[in-house]
Structure formats: C-alpha cells, structure tokens
Amino acid sequence: MINFSRFRLDNGLTVLVHEDHTTAMAAVNILYKVGARDESPEQTGFAHLFEHLMFGGSVNIPNYDAPLQSVGGENNAFTSNDITNYYITLPSNNLETAFWLESDRMLSLAFSDQSLEVQRQVVCEEFKQRYLNQPYGDVWLKLRPLAYKVHPYRWATIGKELKHIEDAKMEDVKAFFHKYYTPQNAIMVVAGDVNLEEVKVLADKWFGSIPAGNSFVRDIPQEPKQAEARKEWVEADVPVDALYIAFHGPDRLSADYYATDLITDLLSRGASSRLYRALVKENQLFSEINAYMMGSIDTNLIVVEGKPLPHISLEEAEKYIWKELENIKTHAVEEVELQKVKNKIQSTMLFAELSILDKAMNLAFFEMLNKAEDYNHETSKYEAVTSSDITRLANQIFTEENSNTLYYQSKQKENVE
C-alpha cells in the first residue's frame, strides 16, 4: 500500500506526493503522456529522440548533469510506445535543485542546431548498434509490423527506419515539444523524505508559471481483430535459429489483463514453468524459451519466443510450442500451480515498494492509466483470477488465426548443414 496526496496546478500539472521519512533521499519523477504511438508514420522515432534532446541543455542551464551531480543527484529517462519518463534521485535536502532543473527544461529547452545534430547522431548510432548490427536486434522491426497493420504499435520506439531520424528538422522537433511537453500533459511524483506543504510551495514556485499548452484530442487508430495467421521467414547471420510467435491480447485497462499476465507466468516464469520444464529441461528441445506480455496501454501482444537446439528445425519447434499452448487451453490449471505464480507477482510488487523511485514511477504510470489509487489494488486483481479465467483466455488468445510467427533462421546453421 502506497499512501500519497494529489494536487493540481492551474496550468494542469498533476502532482502526487508520497512521504517516506525512513530515508534521507527523494525521487522526482515526471511522466509525459507521449510515446512512439503518438508519432506520425512518416516521422517515427521522435519520442525517443526527444528523450535524448531533453538532456541537451535548456536556455538557462546548458549542462543539465553538472548542477545535479554537484548536489549528489542522479538522473535518467526511458521511452516506450506509450510514455516518456524522466527521473531524478537526490538527497532530500537538495530537493529544490530537481524542481529547478525539470521546470527549466519544460519551459525553456534549448533548441540549438548543435544539440539536435549531436543527439541525432547518438540515436542513429544506437539504432545501428542495437537494432541493425546486433544478433536478433531487428526482431521487433519485423515482428511489430507483422502483428500490427493499423495501430502505431507497428513500429518500435527507436522508429521504423533510420532515415526518419536522419531527416528530422528543427521545426518538426519544436512542434513535437510544444504539443506534448506541457504541464497539462505531464504527471509529477515526488517521493521520499519530503512533505506535502513543501512540495506544494516548490511546485508553484518552479512550475506554476509555465503555460499549460494547447489541448489536443489523441486519435489513435485501433487494431482490428486479426482474422488469419501471418508468417514471415528471415535469414540472418546469427548463431542459432530463433522462433517468435505473437498473439493479440487484452489492453492494459481490461479486466482480462491480469489473467493473461498470469498465463505467461505459468508458461515461462522460473525453472518449474510449463514451457521451460517441457521443452528445455525434460525433452531438451530448446536452449531457451520465454513467454511474456508487452504491457501496452492498447491492444497487447503476448509473445512466445525460443531458440531450438540444433537438431530441431523451426517447423518442429513451432509444433512443440503449440502442443504446450493446446495443453493450457484444454486442461484446467490446478489451484496450487496458479497460486504459485500469484505469490511471485505479489512478492515482486512488495519488493518494488522498498524503492522510493519504483514507488514514484508506479504512481505516475497508474495516474496516467486512470488513477494512482489503482496501484494499491493490483495484487487483489491478480488474486481474483480463477482457473476458469485462465482456460477461457488461453482459448481466446492461442488460436492459429490470432498468431503472427517470425521464423528467424541462422545462415550459420545452414552453412554447417
């Protein structure tokens, strides 16, 4: 249970405050409601590029890191398809430094040609290193557009192609900033050795005068129900074959999200999970196997991925995976097995509450989803899932017509054979 207070500035900035006086530290987390799904298909990768630009300095503070480091603080950020999140941790007696830094770049980001060019090169290099030149790095550049035909989840956070970042113009960057990086499109969580009244004073002092920005209506095309199986073969210079099967599933706010999450845990969380036990440990068909859900706000993907051992072809590997999926569809999960994965989720969530930064991030995310109070009821929603829920959803999700299969074939294996 995370206790917190909420207030909102006149410009629309939502502020949550969680007091924890067992620590001498504070965390300031700012979530902007913008991710790769908000991009134009012709200009992808902008949300991630902007994450980098936000560290390029503001009008008044050319070096963002220096003043923070001088007061013992650390910072970082991440971008997903749904959000962009920035965070600072620092000694609580230097809390105002975080407000100063974050408010200044929200109001006065320095749009210099040099900063754009430097960060463009950084992002382009990341694109090459992580997605183009790394084994299996381009999987999501292929699997996303295979599974999504309409929704902007069809491109990865890094973008659809390198050229979109290479061609980014200053006017495009400024337009993106002024639309999405506004108080009314942000949620700030302050957690740790702080008090509500102090945060109210600081929030008003540093953020209160920032213009709210223009309101806009988010119009994201939703993915239609998939009606037939999709398959794609890829040959690449990778050590071994790999197989990826993606299924569409419930969105993050669906009541069925929790049962679906538990299905992936039943399949592959830990050495006693179904896929690991059957395909890796007992029958020695795969070197590794995993199942997970993306956790996206809109229609999710449930992914089963694995690397079959050299004597198993990709077609055979696919059949073995489907056999295990059919098993969870046709045989009710016993209560002991189900409770085991529920306990693991509960322990994970309890562990997250030990960190003020994790608490700040979780409160911000759930406030963005609907309201932060929902986070305190997450474990009860998982606990309420029944064996019949698992069977029902497994039968809905694991169908041939709902599958998107990427066969990632090793050229090295082909040469050996």
Side-chain angles (χ1 to χ4, degrees):
M1 176 71 70
I2 305 177
N3 297 312
F4 64 92
S5 302
R6 176 193 289 108
F7 64 91
R8 189 168 283 108
L9 300 184
D10 291 342
N11 58 15
L13 178 67
T14 299
V15 184
L16 307 181
V17 182
H18 166 67
E19 298 187 31
D20 179 358
H21 301 292
T22 65
T23 175
M25 301 295 290
V28 176
N29 189 90
I30 297 188
L31 181 153
Y32 289 93
K33 303 173 193 175
V34 56
R37 69 173 183 158
D38 295 293
E39 298 164 347
S40 160
E42 289 74 42
Q43 290 181 320
T44 64
F46 266 56
H48 178 245
L49 173 63
F50 224 92
E51 175 204 322
H52 285 259
L53 284 171
M54 285 287 277
F55 291 97
S58 63
V59 171
N60 301 307
I61 310 168
N63 186 337
Y64 179 89
D65 288 328
L68 183 60
Q69 290 171 354
S70 70
V71 296
E74 296 179 348
N75 73 94
N76 214 327
F78 63 86
T79 312
S80 75
N81 286 76
D82 296 312
I83 64 170
T84 309
N85 194 84
Y86 301 84
Y87 55 90
I88 290 174
T89 56
L90 75 175
S92 59
N93 58 353
N94 294 320
L95 180 64
E96 189 164 7
T97 299
F99 279 73
W100 167 54
L101 290 169
E102 289 293 355
S103 63
D104 198 68
R105 65 178 177 178
M106 182 186 284
L107 174 66
S108 309
L109 190 69
F111 292 104
S112 70
D113 291 330
Q114 180 184 2
S115 176
L116 175 57
E117 191 54 38
V118 167
Q119 298 307 327
R120 188 208 315 274
Q121 293 302 319
V122 170
V123 173
C124 286
E125 192 59 31
E126 180 182 344
F127 198 122
K128 293 172 186 175
Q129 286 188 359
R130 293 182 56 191
Y131 295 85
L132 301 182
N133 300 330
Q134 182 171 297
Y136 314 102
D138 63 347
V139 164
W140 285 104
L141 300 182
K142 299 179 183 302
L143 192 55
R144 280 187 177 276
L146 183 65
Y148 293 106
K149 300 302 178 185
V150 174
H151 196 286
Y153 285 161
R154 65 185 183 273
W155 55 83
T157 306
I158 196 72
K160 269 201 295 190
E161 53 185 275
L162 198 57
K163 185 172 173 55
H164 288 181
I165 302 301
E166 291 173 338
D167 291 348
K169 302 288 192 298
M170 181 62 75
E171 57 266 30
D172 301 324
V173 168
K174 286 183 177 180
F176 192 89
F177 177 81
H178 290 304
K179 180 175 182 178
Y180 295 110
Y181 278 73
T182 63
Q184 64 178 346
N185 200 47
I187 298 164
M188 180 167 69
V189 180
V190 184
D193 186 25
V194 301
N195 67 72
L196 177 60
E197 293 309 313
E198 175 193 19
V199 173
K200 284 183 176 179
V201 170
L202 291 176
D204 186 63
K205 175 182 177 180
W206 290 104
F207 289 90
S209 62
I210 300 176
N214 296 322
S215 298
F216 63 91
V217 176
R218 187 173 268 104
D219 184 20
I220 296 176
Q222 294 303 300
E223 190 70 16
K225 183 178 174 64
Q226 187 174 336
E228 60 182 5
R230 301 170 187 149
K231 300 176 184 290
E232 182 177 340
W233 282 84
V234 174
E235 281 191 350
D237 189 16
V238 293
V240 296
D241 291 348
L243 181 66
Y244 304 83
I245 310 176
F247 304 89
H248 290 282
D251 62 78
R252 186 60 184 80
L253 289 174
S254 168
D256 287 334
Y257 176 88
Y258 303 92
T260 308
D261 196 20
L262 286 171
I263 287 173
T264 62
D265 281 2
L266 287 164
L267 289 173
S268 79
R269 185 168 185 175
S272 63
S273 61
R274 293 183 172 211
L275 291 176
Y276 184 86
R277 193 174 65 245
L279 303 182
V280 177
K281 190 176 180 181
E282 294 176 0
N283 296 304
Q284 298 180 1
L285 303 168
F286 284 73
S287 61
E288 59 182 82
I289 188 87
N290 291 290
Y292 51 88
M293 182 161 57
M294 299 300 290
S296 307
I297 291 177
D298 296 329
T299 170
N300 263 290
L301 286 186
I302 295 89
V303 182
V304 181
E305 64 173 60
K307 293 182 173 65
L309 290 173
H311 67 284
I312 304 296
S313 70
L314 285 169
E315 294 92 339
E316 289 176 301
E318 183 182 12
K319 289 177 183 177
Y320 286 122
I321 288 175
W322 274 103
K323 180 182 177 183
E324 296 306 315
L325 298 181
E326 288 299 325
N327 187 42
I328 202 169
K329 288 166 63 177
T330 55
H331 296 86
V333 175
E334 293 185 4
E335 188 57 36
V336 172
E337 185 184 9
L338 182 56
Q339 190 60 50
K340 185 177 180 180
V341 293
K342 288 180 181 180
N343 292 344
K344 287 182 178 179
I345 283 182
Q346 186 175 28
S347 65
T348 299
M349 294 186 71
L350 287 173
F351 185 76
E353 291 189 22
L354 298 176
S355 161
I356 57 169
L357 180 57
D358 285 349
K359 287 187 281 190
M361 286 184 178
N362 284 323
L363 288 174
F365 183 73
F366 278 83
E367 182 73 8
M368 180 273 302
L369 280 178
N370 184 33
K371 59 182 188 298
E373 288 85 352
D374 292 343
Y375 179 76
N376 289 326
H377 304 290
E378 283 291 276
T379 53
S380 62
K381 290 177 181 177
Y382 281 106
E383 196 59 43
V385 173
T386 65
S387 177
S388 60
D389 291 329
I390 299 293
T391 302
R392 172 177 58 85
L393 281 160
N395 277 276
Q396 284 181 16
I397 294 167
F398 299 133
T399 65
E400 184 71 21
E401 62 270 19
N402 190 38
S403 67
N404 303 274
T405 308
L406 181 64
Y407 306 90
Y408 209 96
Q409 193 164 36
S410 168
K411 290 181 181 178
Q412 294 181 26
K413 179 181 176 182
E414 197 175 69
N415 293 335
V416 170
E417 294 174 345

